[in-house]
Amino acid sequence: MIEVSAAIIQNGNFILIAQRSRNKSQGLMWEFPGGKLEAGETAEASLVREIKEELNIHIEVGERFGENIYEYPSGKIKLIAFRAKWKAGELKLLEHENVKWVTVEELNTFQFAPADRPFVEKLTN
């Protein structure tokens, strides 16, 4: 099983969501940005590294939001989500097609990757 971390980055009433690259699995679906943990890396450290690599910003990882396990055709992942705050840096799309700041109420209007859906449901309920 692959462990993956995800950031729920909030700014006031808005949450940052990212659209997956069209060339990756679940291409063009939306997600909470993050990525795979490397050997010996904590989920929090992975999240800081991945957000810097993918979006060129520095975040502060907050409380653990939740986790779930999802089995894709390519394999099983454990997705661990944390609340996070944008601390510094200028946003650049280095891995994603697009990003958007959306309200909690707008989350259900986007097609999220299946592993991210439980977090959308938790946020909107």
Side-chain angles (χ1 to χ4, degrees):
M1 178 167 26
I2 297 169
E3 290 190 312
V4 180
S5 58
I8 298 172
I9 302 170
Q10 275 190 272
N11 184 1
N13 294 327
F14 294 92
I15 297 172
L16 184 69
I17 61 172
Q19 189 176 35
R20 294 181 59 80
S21 169
R22 68 183 69 243
N23 302 321
K24 292 196 173 188
S25 62
Q26 289 81 52
L28 300 179
M29 287 187 167
W30 292 85
E31 66 180 359
F32 298 104
K36 296 176 190 167
L37 277 66
E38 293 182 352
E41 190 175 43
T42 66
E44 294 90 341
S46 167
L47 200 50
V48 169
R49 176 185 53 76
E50 286 282 349
I51 297 298
K52 176 64 177 157
E53 289 175 1
E54 294 183 358
L55 298 174
N56 192 50
I57 62 173
H58 298 282
I59 60 166
E60 178 182 298
V61 178
E63 69 185 24
R64 189 182 192 111
F65 183 75
E67 67 179 59
N68 65 0
I69 295 172
Y70 189 84
E71 188 154 3
Y72 287 106
S74 58
K76 191 182 289 190
I77 69 164
K78 179 180 182 180
L79 185 59
I80 308 160
F82 293 88
R83 292 198 182 269
K85 291 182 183 172
W86 182 342
K87 298 305 279 183
E90 184 179 328
L91 186 67
K92 287 185 186 170
L93 296 179
L94 303 171
E95 294 279 330
H96 294 90
E97 294 284 328
N98 198 1
V99 293
K100 288 184 185 269
W101 287 101
V102 299
T103 64
V104 169
E105 295 78 23
E106 292 173 307
L107 287 173
N108 280 318
T109 65
F110 293 87
Q111 184 179 7
F112 275 84
D116 289 79
R117 286 290 322 154
F119 302 134
V120 171
E121 291 167 14
K122 186 174 177 181
L123 285 163
T124 56
N125 290 330

